[in-house]
């Protein structure tokens, strides 16, 4: 066992905390916390890379209006506050006045290990980890939860091993399990969307990409995507219908959530289904058409016209319940694929690497808080810290 | 076998037809059609009662704007026309210029029978039938599809044996199969809603009724309904949440479809779920919350704010696919219950009985076309005809 005395820098570490206060204020700050002694089956990971994903930002910002964000305190230990509207506060009852750690996933180096052989075997290894509280210098975690990265893999390369790759693989698995033959994806030029394109090209699965800007069409065309529809184009509905006919896609995964897009997808699926139908069905096509909303890039209300018959569904889709249904064996299979294709299919790109202090600067929040496709930040909690 | 010669009046019969023309016009008219000679396994039913259900009106009116309805032709054989908007016409491609018969269900007397023993056994019996084209004086149908009504039951009493009773029973079955313990129903003072209340009271199933007017609360309270929420009341959301907490209902069946109600139900379910949750869940409650939209009394777009976490679903629900999944044995079990409780649980009330000619009068269409709760018409295709 490595003696704690040999790693004095690991005795305490900074951690990012998010608190929603009863008065409707969000408070973000850094706290110094003691690093626990690992139990026999545990290790301490020095986190060196953790993505700021849309799925982290719900917990991080608590739905606050970021245009109201203010910074206070010393430059090297800032506190950020912002206002949360009364409507959003209704959903916050369960977390009021709790100082919560943030960060779903990350990667780093094992710097201390409990006395079990499994834990000891990880000493010095670069590992990817999942489980929250990753926006921390040190994270204590069970050895069994560590995904060992192949030699030559940096923490930055392994930071996004779980959320995006497993979500992309999970969409394809869900499509298969529910009996669909191809799928639709929105906000399709995102890191996740690019992974999904690579998976579908590799596995010969039909994929209809929906993007919101002309330049994003080119990003996906360069990857070799056969079907990319631009929702800002005047011919969008016709383009989408054609792509649905060509692929036979009857399930969609929507990252946008708000506005009319989810309903438009169902409408186009219905038009496509009726083009191949042999007789008029008074309740619409009998083909089941499904849209899963897995993100909320647009917080506006969801609105749809019910012109797609009765065989339709809309609903939430979330990675962890999906993995729960898939079971341990299936999850292991997906994770093994992620590791094997980490530098190809599952490579992530980031626009900026920030330290914990930099992540709390208002200009940085102003950029990554927008969750714009192409703007993803990587947080390195040990950036600028002597290790 | 009964000789056709003994039943001269059955050689031809009037049938109501609906046509959507390419130019965007709906046309309703009566046609005289020859009554077929029944095959060995078939019978001819003289239809004497058939409800005009909301589920018939989609096919009947083809989404036409009824404020544009015009009548022409002789009084005893009118033609009604009305305009269909271009948006609605998009969904009509499959039925253009086809003269379609209408009427899901009905009841009447078997006046001719094929030579098989099963068909012969039905001669003179009063039966309930399902399968379309019921707005006809005579309907040829397989003997096996006839539900024989108990002696002393009139066609009017048996006219609504299928759609409403099986839908109400199907909702309770769906609730059970999908693991919910209580249910929510909207437009709850309807004939269907009253049946559902009687079923739930009898079977001790928790039911939350949602109505749109104060006087409808009283209708259901008189039936003994414990939970009736008025969506026009300023305290609606609190009343609904309390009723959801009291019953534990996590599935809803919504006849309205348009507007905000479906989303409000999910929101209230989430608030109720979080009141009993033990710790904060960042993705909302893990309780699956489901709203099935089975009708479209409000044709406006459906709109919802996604403040109910990720464990939710919305979708279409339709009786026939449900019965398909339930299977023959299950369907028989439900039908047997309907017959046994036809004059109690499944009794229907109608505001007016109309003939085929009367059903095409503009003043009648102006009333039943509104699909207002409490205004249900019964069509008697043989009314005023010597039999």
């Amino acid at each position: 066992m490595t003696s704690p005395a040999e790693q004095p820098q690991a005795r305490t570490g900074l951690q990012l905390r998010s608190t929603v206060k009863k008065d409707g204020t969000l408070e973000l700050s850094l706290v110094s916390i003691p690093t626990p002694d690992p139990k026999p089956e545990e290790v301490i990971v020095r986190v060196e890379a953790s993505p700021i994903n849309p799925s982290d930002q719900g917990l991080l910002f608590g739905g606050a209006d970021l245009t109201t964000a203010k910074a206070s305190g010393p430059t090297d230990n800032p506190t950020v506050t912002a206002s949360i509207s009364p409507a959003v506060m209704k959903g916050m009852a369960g977390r009021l006045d709790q100082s919560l750690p943030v960060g779903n996933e990350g990667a780093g180096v094992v710097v201390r290990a409990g006395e079990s052989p499994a834990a000891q075997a990880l000493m010095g290894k670069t590992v990817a980890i999942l489980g929250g509280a990753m926006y921390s210098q040190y994270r204590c975690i069970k050895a069994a939860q560590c995904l060992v990265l192949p030699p030559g893999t940096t923490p930055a390369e392994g930071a996004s091993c779980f959320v995006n790759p497993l979500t992309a693989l999970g969409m394809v698995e869900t499509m298969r399990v529910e009996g669909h033959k191809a799928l639709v994806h929105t906000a399709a030029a995102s890191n996740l969307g690019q992974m999904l394109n690579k998976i579908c090209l590799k596995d010969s699965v039909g994929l209809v990409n929906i993007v919101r800007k002309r330049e994003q069409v080119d990003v996906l065309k360069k990857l070799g995507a056969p079907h990319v529809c631009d929702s800002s184009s005047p011919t969008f509905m016709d383009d989408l219908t054609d792509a649905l006919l060509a692929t036979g896609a009857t399930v969609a995964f929507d990252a946008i959530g708000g506005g009319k897009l989810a309903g438009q997808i169902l409408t186009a699926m219905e038009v496509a289904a009726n083009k191949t139908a042999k007789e008029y069905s008074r309740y619409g096509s009998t083909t089941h058409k499904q849209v899963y909303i897995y993100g909320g890039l647009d917080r506006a209300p969801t609105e749809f016209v019910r012109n797609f018959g009765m065989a339709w569904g809309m609903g939430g889709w979330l990675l962890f319940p999906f993995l729960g249904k898939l079971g341990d064996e299936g999850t292991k299979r997906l994770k093994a694929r992620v590791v094997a294709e980490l530098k190809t299919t599952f490579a992530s790109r980031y626009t900026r690497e920030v330290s914990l202090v930099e992540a709390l600067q208002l200009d940085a929040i102003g950029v990554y808080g927008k969750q714009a496709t192409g703007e993803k930040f990587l947080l390195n909690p040990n950036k600028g810290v002597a290790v």
Side-chain angles (χ1 to χ4, degrees), chain A:
Chain A
M1 185 182 162
T2 309
S3 154
E6 294 165 27
Q7 308 265 349
Q9 82 285 6
R11 298 303 299 164
T12 63
L14 287 177
Q15 185 173 73
L16 195 157
R17 292 287 183 84
S18 168
T19 308
V20 169
K21 301 194 165 180
K22 277 204 188 72
D23 67 1
T25 309
L26 165 78
E27 186 181 285
L28 302 177
S29 61
L30 303 179
V31 296
S32 179
I33 55 161
T35 308
D37 289 323
K39 291 183 187 147
E41 302 293 340
E42 291 176 342
V43 297
I44 303 295
V45 177
R46 188 180 64 225
V47 182
E48 293 178 25
S50 177
I52 305 180
N53 282 324
S55 53
D56 295 305
Q57 296 196 29
L59 185 64
L60 181 64
F61 294 129
D65 177 357
L66 298 180
T67 63
T68 66
K70 289 192 187 75
S72 59
T75 328
D76 63 346
N77 189 14
T79 296
V80 173
T81 55
S83 302
I84 303 172
S85 74
V88 173
M89 280 299 288
K90 280 185 193 163
M92 297 291 149
R95 61 172 288 190
L96 290 183
D97 292 335
Q98 295 170 49
S99 172
L100 299 173
V102 191
N104 269 317
E105 65 181 336
V109 176
V110 175
V111 292
R112 283 163 63 198
E115 57 205 14
S116 72
Q120 284 293 314
L122 295 180
M123 264 308 294
K125 294 261 165 66
T126 299
V127 297
I129 49 181
L130 176 73
M134 295 303 164
Y135 299 167
S136 310
Q137 280 187 272
Y138 299 96
R139 176 69 158 84
C140 181
I141 196 163
K142 289 208 168 114
Q145 284 181 262
C146 295
L147 192 62
V148 177
L149 297 174
T153 310
T154 65
E157 287 169 334
S160 296
C161 264
F162 298 97
V163 178
N164 279 344
L166 293 179
T167 299
L169 289 169
M171 288 171 181
V172 178
E173 291 279 326
T174 299
M175 175 205 82
R176 289 200 182 103
V177 168
E178 299 187 0
H180 304 278
K181 64 178 246 193
L183 72 166
V184 179
H185 187 228
T186 74
S190 64
N191 265 331
L192 170 59
Q194 296 187 33
M195 286 179 192
L196 186 59
N197 272 281
K198 293 180 199 166
I199 294 167
C200 289
L201 284 168
K202 199 162 182 171
D203 297 6
S204 302
V205 169
L207 172 64
V208 177
N209 293 283
I210 299 177
V211 297
R212 290 176 287 178
K213 289 180 189 163
R214 177 66 223 172
E215 54 267 35
Q216 294 166 344
V217 175
D218 303 328
V219 170
L220 293 176
K221 287 280 180 193
K222 264 185 214 160
L223 281 181
H227 304 286
V228 189
C229 304
D230 178 0
S231 61
S232 71
S233 156
T235 60
F236 172 61
M237 284 303 283
D238 289 336
D239 299 343
L240 179 58
T241 304
D242 289 345
L244 293 170
L245 267 173
T247 56
T250 48
V251 63
F253 292 87
D254 176 33
I256 313 287
K260 297 184 176 176
L261 184 59
Q264 286 175 316
I265 295 170
L266 291 174
T267 298
M269 284 177 177
E270 178 72 3
V271 174
N274 285 331
K275 283 201 176 172
T276 54
K278 288 186 186 72
E279 63 174 30
Y280 175 66
S281 167
R282 51 189 294 194
Y283 294 114
S285 83
T286 55
T287 309
H288 184 76
K289 300 160 291 289
Q290 179 72 40
V291 174
Y292 286 113
I293 296 178
Y294 76 94
L297 297 181
D298 182 346
R299 291 195 202 167
T302 308
E303 189 185 318
F304 56 89
V305 178
R306 301 176 317 286
N307 57 0
F308 35 69
M310 295 301 279
W312 65 278
M314 215 180 257
W317 189 93
L318 197 57
L319 177 60
F320 299 108
F322 161 75
L323 292 177
K325 271 188 242 171
L326 186 65
D328 284 348
E329 279 311 303
T331 302
K332 262 189 202 169
R333 172 171 54 82
L334 300 190
K335 285 184 183 173
R337 176 164 182 186
V338 175
V339 171
E341 302 173 29
L342 192 55
K343 294 194 185 185
T344 54
T345 314
F346 301 107
S348 291
R349 254 183 294 277
Y350 308 95
T351 39
R352 202 175 141 193
E353 185 191 270
V354 290
S355 67
L356 284 168
V357 169
E358 288 163 348
L360 292 191
Q361 283 166 359
L362 296 187
D363 60 340
I365 290 174
V367 177
Y368 73 76
K370 275 188 192 149
Q371 305 186 13
T373 294
E375 282 289 358
K376 189 183 285 280
F377 278 38
L378 185 68
L379 200 159
N380 177 352
N382 283 288
K383 184 186 173 189
V385 177
V387 290

